[in-house]
Amino acid sequence: MSVNSENTRAQMRKGVLELCILSILSKGDAYPTEIIDKLKETKLVVVEGTLYPLLTRLKNTGLLAYRWEESTSGPPRKYYKLTEIGEQYLKEVQQSWFELVDIVNKTIDQQKN
Amino acid sequence: MNKTVTINISGIIFHIEEDAYDKLSKYLSTIKGYFSKTDGGNEIMSDIEARIAEMLQSKTSAVKQVVLMADVDSVIEAMGKPEEFAEGHTEKEEQEDESFQSSEPIKKRLFRDPDNKAVGGVCSGIAAYFDVDIVWIRLAMFLLIFFGGLSLWVYIILWIVIPEAKTTAEKLAMRGEKIDINNISKTVKEEAEQLKQRAKKYGNDLKNNSQDFRNDSRNFFDKLGDFIKDFLIIFSKFFARIIGLVLLIFGVVFMLGLMSSVFGFSIAGTNTEFNDWVNIFFMDRSHYTMGLIGVSLFFGIPFIMMIYGGIKLLFKIHYSNRWLNISAGLVWFVGFIIVLFVGIKTGKDFGEAGKVKEPIKIETERDTLFLTLTKSKELYSRLNLNEEEYDDYDHEGNHVRIHKRHSDYVVANSDKNKLIVGYASLNILPASGDNFELYVIKKARGEDKRAAVARAKSIRYSISQNDSIISFDEIFTVDASNEKFRMQDIQVILKVPRGKVVHLDKSLDGFIYDVENVTNTYDGDMVGRRWIMNINGLECVDCEGIMFDDEHDLPKPPAPPAPPINVEASEANVNIGKDGIKINSKEANVHINDKGINIDTKGEKGEKGEKGGK
C-alpha cells in the first residue's frame, strides 16, 4: 500500500511541477539553482535531476526563454524567464488548477459526509 | 596519498581523486545515455554539468582543493540517481530508452546482468559479453557440473569477481561494443602503440636532458624514474591480459587437481581398508577430517585467488573487494593453522623411538640349530582372518606377500578386533659366550620415550621351539582397537657361538635380513644351507661348488678334486676316481685309465687289477 501511495504522490508532484516552475518564474527571472531552492522549500522536488529535462522541454515549446549571465563564483548562469506565450499559458493553467483543486476538494468532502 | 585527476566541468577546473572521478564520469555518462535521444539532450546535459560544477565548487576551497568521493556522493544524491530521472519521462520516452543505443561505441566490460538473472546473473552477463544466446552458457554451466562440480565453484568465484551492472552506464557497457578478434587485436595494437610512443617520447626527453645534464642532474633522474614507472605501467597493461589468462588456466588446473584428490580421499574414507589406516594412523578420526579440510583451505585459497586475479586481469575488472581479500586471507590462515595443528599432533606421536630387548631361552644342547619360518598363511588361519581378506593378500594362491617384506604393514580382521600386521626379520650375529642366544627386539615410536617403549612392549610376536628346531613367526601383530600405527617393528637376533652351526630353512628367504657372512653371500642365497660360526663370521658348510650370483665376476678358484664315486651293485663294484674307472666283480676286474684298458679275469680283487694296469 505504501508503495502505491508513494507512486501516486510522485505522479502528482510530477504533474504540478511544471505549473510550479512557471509560477516561480512569473515572479521574476531565475536560474536553475534558485528554482531548485524554492522548490525544495515546498518539498516538491526530491532530486534535482528531474528539473533539467523539464526546463529544457518548456524552453523548447516556447514557454520559457533564457539568457546567460556571468557569475562571479562559478560557471555562467542560465537565467530563465517566462515568454509572453508562457505567461498566457500560465494564466490558463492556473485557472484550470484552481478549478481542479476546487472540484477535487468538493469531491473529497462529499465522500467524507 | 591518493592520485588526483584534473577535470573541466562547465569551464571550471577541478582536482578530483581518481576513484571519485571514476564514479562521477560513470554517473555523467549514464545521464548522457538517458538524454542523448531526447530533444535538447545536450542542453540538459550541459545544464546538469553546470549545476554539478556549482555544487562541487561550494565543496572546495583554498584549503580543501580536491574533490573527494564523499563530495561526488553528495552531488549524486542531490541530483538523483539515473533511475529516478525516469520520473521525468513519459512512457513513450521510457520505451525509447530501453531500445536506446549509443551512437558512440562504448567499451565493453564484463558485468553480471541483474535483469536476466537466474541465480546471480553470471551466465547472462557472460552471454552479453560474448554476444551469444544465454541458453548456451547456461547449458555449458550445467554440463560442467559433471566435471567434479567444476562450474559450481567457478560460478561462485565469478559471482564474487564480476561486479553487477547497477547503473544504466554499466548496463550499456555490459552490452557495449561487440568483442571479436578484430576488436581485441585493435586494443592490443593500441596498447602497443601507446607503449612505443611513450618510450620514444622519453627517449627524446632523455636526449634533450642529457645535454644540460650538468645543470640539472636531479631533473634527469626524475625523468628517468618517471619513464621507468610509466613504462612499467603501460607494459603491465599490455601483458595484463596474458598474465591473467595464464593465472586463470593454472588456477583452474591446480584447483581441479586439489578437488579431485580431496574428493578421492573423501571417497576413500568409505573404503574399509583405507578407513582402517586412517583410524590407526591419526590419534583421532577428527584429525583426519580436519587435516583434509585444512589442506583444502591451505592450497585451495591461493588457487581460488589465482583464478580471481586472473579473471580480473583478463577482463580488466577494476573493482576490488577488500572484504573478500581479508576474509580469504583469514580463511587461508585458518587452513594453515589446522594443517599445522594436525601435523604437529600426529608428528609428535611419532617423535620418540623406543625399543625393548626380550631374551628368549634356547633349550637345546645340540650344536646345530634348525631355523625355520611359520608362514603367514598358517598365522592368518590361526588368527581366523576372514577368507576375503586373506584372498586380498594372497590372490595368486601362493605367498605373494612373503617376498614383499619390511615396512609392509597390513590391517587385518581377526574374530574379535582389527590387527595391525607387520613383518618381522632375523639377523644372525656371533655370540660372545658358548651358548646360543636369542633376542626379540621390539621397536615403536611414541610421544615420548616411555610411551614408545610401552607401545613396543605391546607388540605380539612368538617363536616356537622344538628341541633344536626353532620356528619364527613371519608376522607380528598389534591390537588396532587400542593401539595406533607407530612404526612398530620386530627384529629377531640370534647369536651363534663359535664353532656351532645353524641351518637356514628355505622358508627363511626374505625373513633373514642382511646377515653378514664370510663370503658376502646374499640373504636369498644363504637359505637352504648350513652355516658355521668361525672367527671371521658365518661360513657356509655345504656350499662348495655352488656358484652364487655375486661370484660371477670373481676369478674362479681351481675346482676341488671330485670325490670318488662308488657304485655298489650285487654283481659288480664300480669305482670312478682319479685312477680311472675300476669295475670289480667275482668273474673279472676291469680297469680303464689313461694308459689303456686292463682286464683281469682271475677273480682277484682290485689290487691285482691295478698292478696289471701298470
PDB file of all heavy atoms in Angstrom, chain A residues 14 31 33 47-49 52-53 56 59 66 73-75 77-78 80, chain B residues 10 12 35 43-44 47-48 50-51 54 57 78-80 84-85 87:
ATOM      1  N   LYS A  14       4.848  15.289 -10.037  1.00  0.00           N
ATOM      2  CA  LYS A  14       5.341  15.452 -11.398  1.00  0.00           C
ATOM      3  C   LYS A  14       4.380  16.323 -12.211  1.00  0.00           C
ATOM      4  O   LYS A  14       4.802  17.197 -12.974  1.00  0.00           O
ATOM      5  CB  LYS A  14       5.470  14.067 -12.049  1.00  0.00           C
ATOM      6  CG  LYS A  14       6.535  13.983 -13.107  1.00  0.00           C
ATOM      7  CD  LYS A  14       6.832  12.546 -13.470  1.00  0.00           C
ATOM      8  CE  LYS A  14       5.796  11.977 -14.428  1.00  0.00           C
ATOM      9  NZ  LYS A  14       6.094  10.589 -14.820  1.00  0.00           N
ATOM     10  N   TYR A  31      17.667  31.364 -12.176  1.00  0.00           N
ATOM     11  CA  TYR A  31      18.454  30.290 -12.788  1.00  0.00           C
ATOM     12  C   TYR A  31      18.207  29.021 -11.984  1.00  0.00           C
ATOM     13  O   TYR A  31      17.735  29.074 -10.846  1.00  0.00           O
ATOM     14  CB  TYR A  31      19.926  30.682 -12.921  1.00  0.00           C
ATOM     15  CG  TYR A  31      20.762  30.603 -11.663  1.00  0.00           C
ATOM     16  CD1 TYR A  31      21.702  29.603 -11.500  1.00  0.00           C
ATOM     17  CD2 TYR A  31      20.624  31.579 -10.664  1.00  0.00           C
ATOM     18  CE1 TYR A  31      22.480  29.538 -10.358  1.00  0.00           C
ATOM     19  CE2 TYR A  31      21.396  31.527  -9.528  1.00  0.00           C
ATOM     20  CZ  TYR A  31      22.323  30.501  -9.370  1.00  0.00           C
ATOM     21  OH  TYR A  31      23.094  30.427  -8.247  1.00  0.00           O
ATOM     22  N   THR A  33      19.390  26.864 -10.013  1.00  0.00           N
ATOM     23  CA  THR A  33      19.658  26.669  -8.596  1.00  0.00           C
ATOM     24  C   THR A  33      18.642  27.415  -7.728  1.00  0.00           C
ATOM     25  O   THR A  33      18.183  26.901  -6.717  1.00  0.00           O
ATOM     26  CB  THR A  33      21.085  27.135  -8.271  1.00  0.00           C
ATOM     27  OG1 THR A  33      21.976  26.485  -9.177  1.00  0.00           O
ATOM     28  CG2 THR A  33      21.480  26.780  -6.856  1.00  0.00           C
ATOM     29  N   VAL A  47      14.741  15.010  -6.173  1.00  0.00           N
ATOM     30  CA  VAL A  47      16.090  15.055  -6.752  1.00  0.00           C
ATOM     31  C   VAL A  47      16.147  16.157  -7.804  1.00  0.00           C
ATOM     32  O   VAL A  47      15.190  16.382  -8.545  1.00  0.00           O
ATOM     33  CB  VAL A  47      16.507  13.699  -7.371  1.00  0.00           C
ATOM     34  CG1 VAL A  47      16.724  12.675  -6.281  1.00  0.00           C
ATOM     35  CG2 VAL A  47      15.513  13.226  -8.386  1.00  0.00           C
ATOM     36  N   GLU A  48      17.257  16.841  -7.819  1.00  0.00           N
ATOM     37  CA  GLU A  48      17.404  17.992  -8.701  1.00  0.00           C
ATOM     38  C   GLU A  48      17.377  17.619 -10.177  1.00  0.00           C
ATOM     39  O   GLU A  48      16.934  18.392 -11.009  1.00  0.00           O
ATOM     40  CB  GLU A  48      18.720  18.720  -8.401  1.00  0.00           C
ATOM     41  CG  GLU A  48      18.754  19.292  -7.001  1.00  0.00           C
ATOM     42  CD  GLU A  48      20.025  20.075  -6.747  1.00  0.00           C
ATOM     43  OE1 GLU A  48      20.697  20.435  -7.734  1.00  0.00           O
ATOM     44  OE2 GLU A  48      20.338  20.319  -5.579  1.00  0.00           O
ATOM     45  N   GLY A  49      17.841  16.425 -10.446  1.00  0.00           N
ATOM     46  CA  GLY A  49      17.970  15.998 -11.830  1.00  0.00           C
ATOM     47  C   GLY A  49      16.679  16.102 -12.615  1.00  0.00           C
ATOM     48  O   GLY A  49      16.677  16.326 -13.827  1.00  0.00           O
ATOM     49  N   TYR A  52      15.952  19.546 -14.845  1.00  0.00           N
ATOM     50  CA  TYR A  52      16.601  19.989 -16.085  1.00  0.00           C
ATOM     51  C   TYR A  52      15.894  19.550 -17.362  1.00  0.00           C
ATOM     52  O   TYR A  52      15.697  20.373 -18.264  1.00  0.00           O
ATOM     53  CB  TYR A  52      18.075  19.580 -16.064  1.00  0.00           C
ATOM     54  CG  TYR A  52      18.806  20.258 -14.935  1.00  0.00           C
ATOM     55  CD1 TYR A  52      18.932  19.639 -13.701  1.00  0.00           C
ATOM     56  CD2 TYR A  52      19.315  21.540 -15.092  1.00  0.00           C
ATOM     57  CE1 TYR A  52      19.561  20.273 -12.642  1.00  0.00           C
ATOM     58  CE2 TYR A  52      19.944  22.181 -14.040  1.00  0.00           C
ATOM     59  CZ  TYR A  52      20.061  21.548 -12.815  1.00  0.00           C
ATOM     60  OH  TYR A  52      20.670  22.177 -11.779  1.00  0.00           O
ATOM     61  N   PRO A  53      15.472  18.306 -17.457  1.00  0.00           N
ATOM     62  CA  PRO A  53      14.741  17.934 -18.678  1.00  0.00           C
ATOM     63  C   PRO A  53      13.460  18.752 -18.831  1.00  0.00           C
ATOM     64  O   PRO A  53      13.079  19.130 -19.945  1.00  0.00           O
ATOM     65  CB  PRO A  53      14.398  16.462 -18.455  1.00  0.00           C
ATOM     66  CG  PRO A  53      15.246  15.996 -17.348  1.00  0.00           C
ATOM     67  CD  PRO A  53      15.657  17.189 -16.549  1.00  0.00           C
ATOM     68  N   THR A  56      14.191  22.316 -20.084  1.00  0.00           N
ATOM     69  CA  THR A  56      14.546  22.284 -21.495  1.00  0.00           C
ATOM     70  C   THR A  56      13.308  22.087 -22.365  1.00  0.00           C
ATOM     71  O   THR A  56      13.158  22.704 -23.418  1.00  0.00           O
ATOM     72  CB  THR A  56      15.567  21.172 -21.757  1.00  0.00           C
ATOM     73  OG1 THR A  56      16.658  21.349 -20.874  1.00  0.00           O
ATOM     74  CG2 THR A  56      16.071  21.208 -23.189  1.00  0.00           C
ATOM     75  N   LYS A  59      11.327  25.251 -22.456  1.00  0.00           N
ATOM     76  CA  LYS A  59      12.010  26.216 -23.320  1.00  0.00           C
ATOM     77  C   LYS A  59      11.773  25.874 -24.790  1.00  0.00           C
ATOM     78  O   LYS A  59      11.468  26.739 -25.605  1.00  0.00           O
ATOM     79  CB  LYS A  59      13.504  26.194 -23.002  1.00  0.00           C
ATOM     80  CG  LYS A  59      14.306  27.268 -23.705  1.00  0.00           C
ATOM     81  CD  LYS A  59      15.699  26.798 -24.013  1.00  0.00           C
ATOM     82  CE  LYS A  59      15.664  25.792 -25.152  1.00  0.00           C
ATOM     83  NZ  LYS A  59      16.967  25.268 -25.514  1.00  0.00           N
ATOM     84  N   TYR A  66      15.756  32.062 -22.227  1.00  0.00           N
ATOM     85  CA  TYR A  66      16.825  32.213 -21.231  1.00  0.00           C
ATOM     86  C   TYR A  66      17.884  33.167 -21.742  1.00  0.00           C
ATOM     87  O   TYR A  66      17.985  33.460 -22.929  1.00  0.00           O
ATOM     88  CB  TYR A  66      17.438  30.863 -20.875  1.00  0.00           C
ATOM     89  CG  TYR A  66      18.249  30.235 -21.979  1.00  0.00           C
ATOM     90  CD1 TYR A  66      19.634  30.504 -22.080  1.00  0.00           C
ATOM     91  CD2 TYR A  66      17.668  29.376 -22.900  1.00  0.00           C
ATOM     92  CE1 TYR A  66      20.380  29.938 -23.085  1.00  0.00           C
ATOM     93  CE2 TYR A  66      18.406  28.801 -23.902  1.00  0.00           C
ATOM     94  CZ  TYR A  66      19.756  29.084 -23.996  1.00  0.00           C
ATOM     95  OH  TYR A  66      20.507  28.531 -24.980  1.00  0.00           O
ATOM     96  N   SER A  73      31.257  33.598  -9.048  1.00  0.00           N
ATOM     97  CA  SER A  73      31.786  32.489  -8.259  1.00  0.00           C
ATOM     98  C   SER A  73      31.814  31.154  -9.004  1.00  0.00           C
ATOM     99  O   SER A  73      32.399  30.200  -8.532  1.00  0.00           O
ATOM    100  CB  SER A  73      30.955  32.312  -6.979  1.00  0.00           C
ATOM    101  OG  SER A  73      29.616  32.067  -7.345  1.00  0.00           O
ATOM    102  N   GLY A  74      31.149  31.094 -10.143  1.00  0.00           N
ATOM    103  CA  GLY A  74      31.095  29.781 -10.770  1.00  0.00           C
ATOM    104  C   GLY A  74      30.895  29.877 -12.261  1.00  0.00           C
ATOM    105  O   GLY A  74      31.226  30.903 -12.868  1.00  0.00           O
ATOM    106  N   PRO A  75      30.391  28.823 -12.836  1.00  0.00           N
ATOM    107  CA  PRO A  75      30.146  28.847 -14.275  1.00  0.00           C
ATOM    108  C   PRO A  75      29.052  29.859 -14.605  1.00  0.00           C
ATOM    109  O   PRO A  75      28.254  30.217 -13.736  1.00  0.00           O
ATOM    110  CB  PRO A  75      29.695  27.414 -14.586  1.00  0.00           C
ATOM    111  CG  PRO A  75      29.277  26.840 -13.291  1.00  0.00           C
ATOM    112  CD  PRO A  75      30.013  27.545 -12.219  1.00  0.00           C
ATOM    113  N   ARG A  77      25.605  31.532 -15.561  1.00  0.00           N
ATOM    114  CA  ARG A  77      24.290  31.028 -15.161  1.00  0.00           C
ATOM    115  C   ARG A  77      23.291  31.272 -16.282  1.00  0.00           C
ATOM    116  O   ARG A  77      23.313  32.288 -16.960  1.00  0.00           O
ATOM    117  CB  ARG A  77      23.834  31.720 -13.894  1.00  0.00           C
ATOM    118  CG  ARG A  77      24.649  31.301 -12.699  1.00  0.00           C
ATOM    119  CD  ARG A  77      24.377  32.212 -11.525  1.00  0.00           C
ATOM    120  NE  ARG A  77      25.111  31.757 -10.354  1.00  0.00           N
ATOM    121  CZ  ARG A  77      25.169  32.433  -9.219  1.00  0.00           C
ATOM    122  NH1 ARG A  77      24.544  33.610  -9.118  1.00  0.00           N
ATOM    123  NH2 ARG A  77      25.839  31.966  -8.198  1.00  0.00           N
ATOM    124  N   LYS A  78      22.400  30.303 -16.368  1.00  0.00           N
ATOM    125  CA  LYS A  78      21.373  30.362 -17.391  1.00  0.00           C
ATOM    126  C   LYS A  78      20.109  30.888 -16.708  1.00  0.00           C
ATOM    127  O   LYS A  78      19.484  30.168 -15.925  1.00  0.00           O
ATOM    128  CB  LYS A  78      21.150  28.932 -17.910  1.00  0.00           C
ATOM    129  CG  LYS A  78      20.722  28.812 -19.336  1.00  0.00           C
ATOM    130  CD  LYS A  78      20.640  27.306 -19.636  1.00  0.00           C
ATOM    131  CE  LYS A  78      20.575  27.034 -21.109  1.00  0.00           C
ATOM    132  NZ  LYS A  78      20.569  25.580 -21.357  1.00  0.00           N
ATOM    133  N   TYR A  80      16.376  31.832 -16.651  1.00  0.00           N
ATOM    134  CA  TYR A  80      15.150  31.565 -17.400  1.00  0.00           C
ATOM    135  C   TYR A  80      14.132  32.675 -17.108  1.00  0.00           C
ATOM    136  O   TYR A  80      14.086  33.199 -16.005  1.00  0.00           O
ATOM    137  CB  TYR A  80      14.562  30.208 -16.997  1.00  0.00           C
ATOM    138  CG  TYR A  80      15.305  29.036 -17.581  1.00  0.00           C
ATOM    139  CD1 TYR A  80      16.282  28.387 -16.840  1.00  0.00           C
ATOM    140  CD2 TYR A  80      15.034  28.597 -18.862  1.00  0.00           C
ATOM    141  CE1 TYR A  80      16.968  27.303 -17.366  1.00  0.00           C
ATOM    142  CE2 TYR A  80      15.714  27.514 -19.401  1.00  0.00           C
ATOM    143  CZ  TYR A  80      16.670  26.876 -18.646  1.00  0.00           C
ATOM    144  OH  TYR A  80      17.345  25.826 -19.162  1.00  0.00           O
TER     145      TYR A  80
ATOM    146  N   SER B  10      32.049  22.397 -17.129  1.00  0.00           N
ATOM    147  CA  SER B  10      31.482  23.716 -17.444  1.00  0.00           C
ATOM    148  C   SER B  10      32.522  24.827 -17.349  1.00  0.00           C
ATOM    149  O   SER B  10      32.234  25.903 -16.818  1.00  0.00           O
ATOM    150  CB  SER B  10      30.330  24.043 -16.475  1.00  0.00           C
ATOM    151  OG  SER B  10      29.156  23.484 -16.946  1.00  0.00           O
ATOM    152  N   ILE B  12      35.078  25.042 -15.504  1.00  0.00           N
ATOM    153  CA  ILE B  12      35.725  25.181 -14.205  1.00  0.00           C
ATOM    154  C   ILE B  12      36.666  23.991 -14.002  1.00  0.00           C
ATOM    155  O   ILE B  12      36.300  22.856 -14.291  1.00  0.00           O
ATOM    156  CB  ILE B  12      34.692  25.183 -13.054  1.00  0.00           C
ATOM    157  CG1 ILE B  12      33.554  26.138 -13.368  1.00  0.00           C
ATOM    158  CG2 ILE B  12      35.377  25.477 -11.734  1.00  0.00           C
ATOM    159  CD1 ILE B  12      33.796  27.557 -12.962  1.00  0.00           C
ATOM    160  N   PHE B  35      19.643  10.884 -22.009  1.00  0.00           N
ATOM    161  CA  PHE B  35      19.101  12.042 -22.723  1.00  0.00           C
ATOM    162  C   PHE B  35      19.610  12.214 -24.146  1.00  0.00           C
ATOM    163  O   PHE B  35      19.208  13.151 -24.827  1.00  0.00           O
ATOM    164  CB  PHE B  35      19.382  13.316 -21.922  1.00  0.00           C
ATOM    165  CG  PHE B  35      18.668  13.344 -20.616  1.00  0.00           C
ATOM    166  CD1 PHE B  35      19.379  13.312 -19.433  1.00  0.00           C
ATOM    167  CD2 PHE B  35      17.277  13.373 -20.568  1.00  0.00           C
ATOM    168  CE1 PHE B  35      18.717  13.314 -18.222  1.00  0.00           C
ATOM    169  CE2 PHE B  35      16.610  13.367 -19.364  1.00  0.00           C
ATOM    170  CZ  PHE B  35      17.319  13.343 -18.185  1.00  0.00           C
ATOM    171  N   GLU B  43      21.716  19.993 -24.246  1.00  0.00           N
ATOM    172  CA  GLU B  43      21.470  21.164 -23.419  1.00  0.00           C
ATOM    173  C   GLU B  43      21.210  20.749 -21.969  1.00  0.00           C
ATOM    174  O   GLU B  43      21.765  21.323 -21.039  1.00  0.00           O
ATOM    175  CB  GLU B  43      20.265  21.907 -23.985  1.00  0.00           C
ATOM    176  CG  GLU B  43      20.221  23.352 -23.550  1.00  0.00           C
ATOM    177  CD  GLU B  43      19.043  24.067 -24.184  1.00  0.00           C
ATOM    178  OE1 GLU B  43      18.527  23.590 -25.205  1.00  0.00           O
ATOM    179  OE2 GLU B  43      18.640  25.105 -23.641  1.00  0.00           O
ATOM    180  N   ILE B  44      20.369  19.728 -21.842  1.00  0.00           N
ATOM    181  CA  ILE B  44      20.085  19.217 -20.496  1.00  0.00           C
ATOM    182  C   ILE B  44      21.379  18.817 -19.820  1.00  0.00           C
ATOM    183  O   ILE B  44      21.642  19.151 -18.662  1.00  0.00           O
ATOM    184  CB  ILE B  44      19.131  18.000 -20.577  1.00  0.00           C
ATOM    185  CG1 ILE B  44      17.788  18.430 -21.161  1.00  0.00           C
ATOM    186  CG2 ILE B  44      18.947  17.379 -19.221  1.00  0.00           C
ATOM    187  CD1 ILE B  44      16.863  17.285 -21.494  1.00  0.00           C
ATOM    188  N   ASP B  47      23.397  21.760 -18.741  1.00  0.00           N
ATOM    189  CA  ASP B  47      22.772  22.386 -17.575  1.00  0.00           C
ATOM    190  C   ASP B  47      23.107  21.616 -16.307  1.00  0.00           C
ATOM    191  O   ASP B  47      23.452  22.186 -15.278  1.00  0.00           O
ATOM    192  CB  ASP B  47      21.251  22.421 -17.757  1.00  0.00           C
ATOM    193  CG  ASP B  47      20.819  23.511 -18.737  1.00  0.00           C
ATOM    194  OD1 ASP B  47      21.713  24.279 -19.183  1.00  0.00           O
ATOM    195  OD2 ASP B  47      19.625  23.580 -19.068  1.00  0.00           O
ATOM    196  N   ILE B  48      22.994  20.306 -16.452  1.00  0.00           N
ATOM    197  CA  ILE B  48      23.284  19.463 -15.284  1.00  0.00           C
ATOM    198  C   ILE B  48      24.744  19.606 -14.886  1.00  0.00           C
ATOM    199  O   ILE B  48      25.081  19.735 -13.702  1.00  0.00           O
ATOM    200  CB  ILE B  48      22.915  17.997 -15.580  1.00  0.00           C
ATOM    201  CG1 ILE B  48      21.386  17.857 -15.624  1.00  0.00           C
ATOM    202  CG2 ILE B  48      23.501  17.067 -14.532  1.00  0.00           C
ATOM    203  CD1 ILE B  48      20.890  16.508 -16.051  1.00  0.00           C
ATOM    204  N   ALA B  50      26.647  22.139 -15.382  1.00  0.00           N
ATOM    205  CA  ALA B  50      26.854  23.443 -14.763  1.00  0.00           C
ATOM    206  C   ALA B  50      26.464  23.403 -13.298  1.00  0.00           C
ATOM    207  O   ALA B  50      27.153  23.933 -12.432  1.00  0.00           O
ATOM    208  CB  ALA B  50      26.017  24.501 -15.498  1.00  0.00           C
ATOM    209  N   ARG B  51      25.355  22.739 -13.038  1.00  0.00           N
ATOM    210  CA  ARG B  51      24.882  22.630 -11.656  1.00  0.00           C
ATOM    211  C   ARG B  51      25.875  21.823 -10.811  1.00  0.00           C
ATOM    212  O   ARG B  51      26.189  22.187  -9.674  1.00  0.00           O
ATOM    213  CB  ARG B  51      23.497  21.965 -11.659  1.00  0.00           C
ATOM    214  CG  ARG B  51      22.957  21.630 -10.311  1.00  0.00           C
ATOM    215  CD  ARG B  51      22.649  22.880  -9.483  1.00  0.00           C
ATOM    216  NE  ARG B  51      22.137  22.511  -8.171  1.00  0.00           N
ATOM    217  CZ  ARG B  51      22.347  23.213  -7.070  1.00  0.00           C
ATOM    218  NH1 ARG B  51      23.087  24.304  -7.106  1.00  0.00           N
ATOM    219  NH2 ARG B  51      21.825  22.827  -5.936  1.00  0.00           N
ATOM    220  N   GLU B  54      28.802  23.842  -9.976  1.00  0.00           N
ATOM    221  CA  GLU B  54      28.464  24.787  -8.916  1.00  0.00           C
ATOM    222  C   GLU B  54      28.517  24.102  -7.546  1.00  0.00           C
ATOM    223  O   GLU B  54      29.077  24.626  -6.590  1.00  0.00           O
ATOM    224  CB  GLU B  54      27.057  25.309  -9.183  1.00  0.00           C
ATOM    225  CG  GLU B  54      26.811  26.707  -8.688  1.00  0.00           C
ATOM    226  CD  GLU B  54      25.418  27.137  -9.079  1.00  0.00           C
ATOM    227  OE1 GLU B  54      24.470  26.342  -8.913  1.00  0.00           O
ATOM    228  OE2 GLU B  54      25.270  28.257  -9.574  1.00  0.00           O
ATOM    229  N   GLN B  57      31.987  23.260  -6.552  1.00  0.00           N
ATOM    230  CA  GLN B  57      32.723  24.464  -6.191  1.00  0.00           C
ATOM    231  C   GLN B  57      32.443  24.849  -4.744  1.00  0.00           C
ATOM    232  O   GLN B  57      33.330  25.286  -4.024  1.00  0.00           O
ATOM    233  CB  GLN B  57      32.300  25.596  -7.118  1.00  0.00           C
ATOM    234  CG  GLN B  57      33.438  26.542  -7.399  1.00  0.00           C
ATOM    235  CD  GLN B  57      33.052  27.552  -8.435  1.00  0.00           C
ATOM    236  OE1 GLN B  57      31.870  27.805  -8.668  1.00  0.00           O
ATOM    237  NE2 GLN B  57      34.049  28.134  -9.050  1.00  0.00           N
ATOM    238  N   ALA B  78      22.058  14.555  -4.387  1.00  0.00           N
ATOM    239  CA  ALA B  78      21.218  15.730  -4.604  1.00  0.00           C
ATOM    240  C   ALA B  78      20.611  15.712  -6.008  1.00  0.00           C
ATOM    241  O   ALA B  78      19.440  16.024  -6.195  1.00  0.00           O
ATOM    242  CB  ALA B  78      22.050  16.997  -4.415  1.00  0.00           C
ATOM    243  N   MET B  79      21.428  15.324  -6.971  1.00  0.00           N
ATOM    244  CA  MET B  79      20.983  15.346  -8.358  1.00  0.00           C
ATOM    245  C   MET B  79      20.035  14.196  -8.645  1.00  0.00           C
ATOM    246  O   MET B  79      19.173  14.296  -9.509  1.00  0.00           O
ATOM    247  CB  MET B  79      22.211  15.276  -9.273  1.00  0.00           C
ATOM    248  CG  MET B  79      21.943  15.651 -10.694  1.00  0.00           C
ATOM    249  SD  MET B  79      21.208  17.293 -10.844  1.00  0.00           S
ATOM    250  CE  MET B  79      22.629  18.335 -10.844  1.00  0.00           C
ATOM    251  N   GLY B  80      20.175  13.132  -7.914  1.00  0.00           N
ATOM    252  CA  GLY B  80      19.300  11.996  -8.107  1.00  0.00           C
ATOM    253  C   GLY B  80      19.957  10.908  -8.905  1.00  0.00           C
ATOM    254  O   GLY B  80      20.820  11.157  -9.744  1.00  0.00           O
ATOM    255  N   GLU B  84      15.987   7.549 -11.140  1.00  0.00           N
ATOM    256  CA  GLU B  84      14.977   8.495 -10.716  1.00  0.00           C
ATOM    257  C   GLU B  84      14.662   9.517 -11.800  1.00  0.00           C
ATOM    258  O   GLU B  84      13.634  10.171 -11.775  1.00  0.00           O
ATOM    259  CB  GLU B  84      15.435   9.204  -9.434  1.00  0.00           C
ATOM    260  CG  GLU B  84      15.407   8.267  -8.251  1.00  0.00           C
ATOM    261  CD  GLU B  84      16.179   8.810  -7.060  1.00  0.00           C
ATOM    262  OE1 GLU B  84      17.346   9.181  -7.229  1.00  0.00           O
ATOM    263  OE2 GLU B  84      15.599   8.864  -5.981  1.00  0.00           O
ATOM    264  N   PHE B  85      15.593   9.628 -12.731  1.00  0.00           N
ATOM    265  CA  PHE B  85      15.344  10.539 -13.841  1.00  0.00           C
ATOM    266  C   PHE B  85      14.176  10.074 -14.686  1.00  0.00           C
ATOM    267  O   PHE B  85      13.525  10.851 -15.344  1.00  0.00           O
ATOM    268  CB  PHE B  85      16.586  10.645 -14.743  1.00  0.00           C
ATOM    269  CG  PHE B  85      17.602  11.585 -14.214  1.00  0.00           C
ATOM    270  CD1 PHE B  85      18.317  11.294 -13.073  1.00  0.00           C
ATOM    271  CD2 PHE B  85      17.837  12.786 -14.867  1.00  0.00           C
ATOM    272  CE1 PHE B  85      19.244  12.168 -12.581  1.00  0.00           C
ATOM    273  CE2 PHE B  85      18.771  13.665 -14.372  1.00  0.00           C
ATOM    274  CZ  PHE B  85      19.476  13.360 -13.221  1.00  0.00           C
ATOM    275  N   GLU B  87      11.436   9.377 -13.893  1.00  0.00           N
ATOM    276  CA  GLU B  87      10.193  10.015 -13.456  1.00  0.00           C
ATOM    277  C   GLU B  87       9.813  11.174 -14.360  1.00  0.00           C
ATOM    278  O   GLU B  87       8.652  11.471 -14.554  1.00  0.00           O
ATOM    279  CB  GLU B  87      10.353  10.527 -12.022  1.00  0.00           C
ATOM    280  CG  GLU B  87      10.169   9.420 -11.014  1.00  0.00           C
ATOM    281  CD  GLU B  87      10.213   9.971  -9.602  1.00  0.00           C
ATOM    282  OE1 GLU B  87      10.157  11.199  -9.428  1.00  0.00           O
ATOM    283  OE2 GLU B  87      10.286   9.145  -8.685  1.00  0.00           O
TER     284      GLU B  87
END
